[in-house]
Amino acid sequence: MHEKILILDFGSQYTQLIARRVRELNIYCEIHPWNKCPELTADIKGVILSGSPFSVRDEKSPKPDLSEIKGKMPLLGVCFGAQFLAHNFGGEVLPSSIREYGRANLSYVDADNVLTQGLTIGSQVWMSHGDTIKSIPDNYKIIASTADVEVAGYAIEGEQTFGIQFHPEVYHSLEGTKLLKNFLVDVCGCKQDWTPLSFVEETVKELREKIGTDKVILGLSGGVDSSVAAVLLHKAIGENLHCIFVDNGLLRKNEFESVLDSYKDMGLNVKGVDASLLFYTELAGVTDPELKRKAIGKVFVDVFDAESKKVEDAKWLGQGTIYPDVIESVSVSGGPSQTIKSHHNVGGLPDYMKLKVVEPLKLLFKDEVRRIGRSLEIDENILGRHPFPGPGLGIRILGDVTAEKVAILQEVDHIFISALKEDGLYDDVWQAGAIFLPIQSVGVMGDERTYENAVALRAVTSTDGMTADWCHLPYEFLAKVSNKIINQVKGINRVTYDISSKPPATIEWE
């Protein structure tokens, strides 16, 4: 068993960021709900308690049983976790007298404590809490403070237990990674050996043991996730992997042909299936975003069910599901996080489809998937490709989906993406695309009044899709693209640019 860190989730928006920071230090970790703590096996080197939207003073707040953890193995409480360890073991937590959100600076650091060694006075940290720790038990020692928060960090004497009020996992905590490394390496004794190569070796071995000589059907999209999943499965089971690329009629311009071509030299067994008519029929008149996703998912499953019957003795359906898909679709491992939207490849299969699901990437973030892909020597044109949603242009057309709207949006998207590549901006953008808006607006073309459609362009920067900011593309570039779209795409007379971040918006509009 590979050594790992256990993160107990109390519902914080930052829990997944804790996991990413731990992974960036080449240490494997898992997130579990606070009330579904797994067995504390020998491979667990330490435990981190996350933040929470709850107050420890609330009767309905999480109350984990730490009797087998606290004092028996390394433990770090972050924000709510730190307050819980203070409030429930003899300290006092009260409502903050001032708002404690955003940037703060360390005014005191215990240079001799293992957790805070190497941190500097004045270093910026990120606060996000409505309560504050007013007093700590006698055997607790303050190891960090800010101007407004005296107990910004503490250590329990005689234990490997620590609490910090700020969020080291957030980039705004400039020395947060240093603090986490102190805990993970110096306190927990982690070896930092969870690398792309080790992941590949362990995953291929697990896949061989799990699948054996069974046949697997995998849906390919041409994107990073499905490509990496396919290569991992191919390394494990070879020709028993049968890849299928479905044309749902919602792909980008010429994507069906180009994706099939891109896999020719990868040694994968790939079959292309044109099912666009089935998708258009199922989507006719559907306008609700969730119903569209479900309709697309239904046809996707139906097509795979039909194709699976053509592969004799197929037992498994492989999917490129990654961690953010799972997090946004369902609570992490059944935890308290709120559902934001459903994903077409998350949540299992209907009873009539007699295939088991295998998801080799479901605990990886997007940047980790790319690192794995590079270790597998997958073409950089595939690894560097922007994420593209499984439901495709179906969720970039607001309102009902028609073949005519798809054709218009394909042209708009092609102009936008091509221009990003031509101007050397493509790799500066994490994800980009065009949105067909459900409105028409008045325009003037050749001295004639027009009343045509509007589109929005969307480009964001991100590392994992959990948070994102809009790209500050040059005005000159946007002007050029807008002019080209309006001049070349019949039916469009207005172009807008989306400057919303995630949160509060999402990357896709639906």
Side-chain angles (χ1 to χ4, degrees), residues 54 82 233 331 444 480 501:
F54 287 96
L233 283 163
S331 304
V444 178
K480 179 180 69 174
S501 63

Side-chain angles (χ1 to χ4, degrees), residues 310-329:
K310 299 176 185 178
V311 180
E312 188 177 352
D313 296 327
K315 300 287 181 64
W316 298 84
L317 176 66
Q319 295 192 146
T321 309
I322 63 173
Y323 219 173
D325 296 339
V326 176
I327 293 165
E328 291 193 342
S329 295

Side-chain angles (χ1 to χ4, degrees), residues 224-246:
V224 179
D225 305 334
S226 66
S227 300
V228 175
V231 174
L232 280 171
L233 283 163
H234 183 69
K235 284 179 70 69
I237 63 173
E239 290 302 312
N240 281 339
L241 173 65
H242 295 258
C243 299
I244 299 169
F245 178 50
V246 177

Side-chain angles (χ1 to χ4, degrees), residues 400-454:
D400 65 318
V401 177
T402 66
E404 180 185 9
K405 290 179 181 178
V406 171
I408 291 174
L409 192 57
Q410 283 177 330
E411 294 299 328
V412 173
D413 179 87
H414 180 69
I415 290 172
F416 184 30
I417 299 301
S418 296
L420 286 170
K421 292 179 179 178
E422 290 165 4
D423 283 40
L425 297 170
Y426 186 83
D427 291 336
D428 296 332
V429 176
W430 193 77
Q431 182 170 327
I435 315 297
F436 191 102
L437 303 179
I439 59 173
Q440 292 182 310
S441 66
V442 174
V444 178
M445 292 185 178
D447 294 329
E448 292 184 7
R449 177 186 184 274
T450 64
Y451 193 60
E452 295 181 330
N453 301 294

Side-chain angles (χ1 to χ4, degrees), residues 7 44 59 106 109 175 197 254 410:
I7 301 172
I44 297 176
E59 291 184 2
L106 294 176
V109 172
E175 295 180 337
L197 182 60
N254 301 325
Q410 283 177 330

Side-chain angles (χ1 to χ4, degrees), residues 16 107 120 145 271 305 353 399:
Q16 292 77 38
S107 59
T120 55
S145 303
K271 178 182 179 181
D305 184 44
M353 191 171 182

Side-chain angles (χ1 to χ4, degrees), residues 25 32 60 79 82 89 129 158 185 232 254 287 296 312-313 328 341 396 413 421 487:
L25 290 166
H32 291 271
K60 297 181 179 179
C79 197
F89 292 92
H129 57 99
V185 177
L232 280 171
N254 301 325
T287 59
I296 293 167
E312 188 177 352
D313 296 327
E328 291 193 342
K341 60 186 176 183
R396 291 183 178 178
D413 179 87
K421 292 179 179 178
N487 284 334

